[in-house]
Amino acid sequence: MSARARRRAVTGLTVAAAALVWLVADPLLGYRLRIAQGERTLDIGAVAVVLIALLASLAAWGLLAALERCGVRRVRAVWTGAAVTVLALSALPLTGDGMTAGTRTALALMHLTVAAVLIPGLRATAAAATPGARTARMPGTRRTPRTAPDGDGSAGVPRGGRG
């Protein structure tokens, strides 16, 4: 399976996982996902959950692709650090007022579920998509010359002749 196909599958699984958490929390357990902002109330429905999970997945995929394209060294580590940072920042609104404990718990579980599918899923595709990343050279750097064994058993010398 290609890296692109795997990334599509991870995106689909991420959206399905978020929708499943919403389905269990809202209709099945009865925790109406609502956030009160002054006199306004924001109901969090299935469409919003699916769209936000899809946007998060596509943004994560886009960042990973951009890092790979730019030739960033240690793409997996850089991308994983960014993903974990975004997860931590996404939890900040959950500390505010205007929601019940059930809503807060369901939303936190949704964030963690999306991260639990998305981060390892896309991280695994980064290794498959950039197999030569370890040997890539930065532009403008010199390559170390290869050496060939010397006929008299001494240390190797650069190919193409002696000194």
Side-chain angles (χ1 to χ4, degrees), residues 14 18 108 110 132 134:
T14 301
M110 211 173 293
R134 290 184 186 167

Side-chain angles (χ1 to χ4, degrees), residues 103-132:
T103 296
R104 190 179 321 274
T105 302
L107 291 176
L109 192 59
M110 211 173 293
H111 285 227
L112 292 173
T113 301
V114 165
V117 174
L118 191 61
I119 293 173
L122 286 184
R123 188 175 195 279
T125 67
T130 56

Side-chain angles (χ1 to χ4, degrees), residues 31-104:
Y31 290 110
R32 194 82 174 135
L33 302 183
R34 287 188 175 157
I35 300 173
Q37 297 175 335
E39 293 185 17
R40 295 176 38 202
T41 302
L42 174 67
D43 284 322
I44 301 171
V47 173
V49 168
V50 165
L51 287 177
I52 291 171
L54 179 62
L55 286 174
S57 298
L58 293 176
W61 182 351
L63 177 61
L64 180 57
L67 291 171
E68 289 170 344
R69 208 161 245 231
C70 290
V72 172
R73 298 184 96 197
R74 300 178 42 96
V75 170
R76 286 173 28 150
V78 171
W79 181 85
T80 303
V84 170
T85 301
V86 169
L87 172 63
L89 292 174
S90 75
L92 289 178
L94 300 177
T95 62
D97 294 334
M99 63 184 93
T100 65
T103 296
R104 190 179 321 274

